[in-house]
Amino acid sequence: MRFNHSLYLVISAAACKGRAVADVAEQAIPGGVDIIQLREKDFTTDAFLLSAAKLLAITSRYNVPLIINDNTIVASQIDAAGIHVGNNDVPAADLRADPIFRNKIIGYSVEHTDHLHNDQASAADYLGVSPVFKTQTKQDTVIEWGLDGIRKIRALTNKPLVAIGNINVSNAYDVIHAGADCLAVVSAICGATNPEKAARELMNEIKKARSIRYAKI
């Protein structure tokens, strides 16, 4: 499945700080969010399912793909557009071989450059570069890639790259210019007073960076 997205919202109840996940998502989509991942590591499966169903009602209305982080039960039961996994989750290659997920979007987080050409990366539709910059949102990673890391990965693979980790309007341009295809954000939208405005500002930076990057090709 072709992955062609620009602004990827990674959302959770904790990140929304008391606001409803579905409400924040619905506000952000008009600003340019074109794919959403629900990440609820601390939820029970039932609670995750309930949140996912509410969010799916919004994403379906706007034709925005909903990705589920890690949880195959939730992803399969709500018929999500895809699933995102890391190196300690169900292997992406196993998911690709599973009839339930064979034609779904599968994302895989790389932690070392040697992950770029393993079976998991080969099976994935996109590679998550995480974190680009240090973040309090996700602390179970082993490296801070930085802009040089994105450039290095870009030179080693043709897979779509989704950059995540303290991405905001002040560095969005540089991250795309360094070689990322898509920006995944958490706090920059979930924590914003106006999620639509925050998303639009990020999309403007993405568009500016692409216009310069592709003009040089």
Side-chain angles (χ1 to χ4, degrees), residues 86-100:
N87 288 281
N88 297 316
D89 303 321
V90 178
D94 291 356
L95 291 170
R96 185 61 74 199
D98 187 331
I100 294 174

Side-chain angles (χ1 to χ4, degrees), residues 21-212:
V21 165
D23 289 347
V24 173
E26 187 165 23
Q27 292 172 47
I29 290 169
V33 166
D34 57 2
I35 185 168
I36 295 177
Q37 178 187 140
L38 181 60
R39 185 178 189 270
E40 297 291 7
K41 289 288 189 181
D42 298 324
F43 273 27
T44 64
T45 296
D46 286 346
F48 200 160
L49 275 167
L50 181 60
S51 182
K54 290 179 179 179
L55 184 54
L56 182 64
I58 300 301
T59 58
S60 296
R61 187 185 309 162
Y62 292 93
N63 198 29
V64 170
L66 176 60
I67 307 299
I68 297 298
N69 181 275
D70 178 31
N71 196 308
T72 57
I73 295 174
V74 173
S76 61
Q77 288 200 21
I78 69 162
D79 193 24
I83 188 166
H84 185 93
V85 293
N87 288 281
N88 297 316
D89 303 321
V90 178
D94 291 356
L95 291 170
R96 185 61 74 199
D98 187 331
I100 294 174
F101 295 101
R102 184 171 297 150
N103 297 314
K104 301 290 188 179
I105 300 170
I106 297 176
Y108 168 65
S109 292
V110 295
E111 296 178 344
H112 302 284
T113 53
D114 24 341
H115 289 161
L116 295 173
H117 302 294
N118 63 20
D119 290 344
Q120 316 320 321
S122 297
D125 294 288
Y126 70 87
L127 304 178
V129 182
S130 170
V132 178
F133 307 112
K134 289 181 180 178
T135 174
Q136 295 299 312
T137 305
K138 188 167 171 41
Q139 297 182 323
D140 58 347
T141 51
V142 297
I143 191 172
E144 179 183 9
W145 287 103
L147 297 177
D148 286 342
I150 295 175
R151 295 186 189 100
K152 184 176 183 179
I153 294 172
R154 179 74 289 158
L156 294 172
T157 180
N158 292 321
K159 288 272 186 178
L161 301 182
V162 176
I164 186 170
N166 206 14
I167 305 293
N168 54 61
V169 71
S170 71
N171 57 35
Y173 177 98
D174 292 332
V175 175
I176 291 293
H177 194 258
D181 299 288
C182 177
L183 299 184
V185 298
V186 184
S187 301
I189 291 178
C190 294
T193 302
N194 186 331
E196 180 179 352
K197 180 182 177 183
R200 183 168 290 110
E201 290 174 347
L202 285 160
M203 271 304 303
N204 287 340
E205 294 302 306
I206 291 170
K207 290 174 182 177
K208 283 193 293 184
R210 284 179 172 169
S211 67
I212 298 298

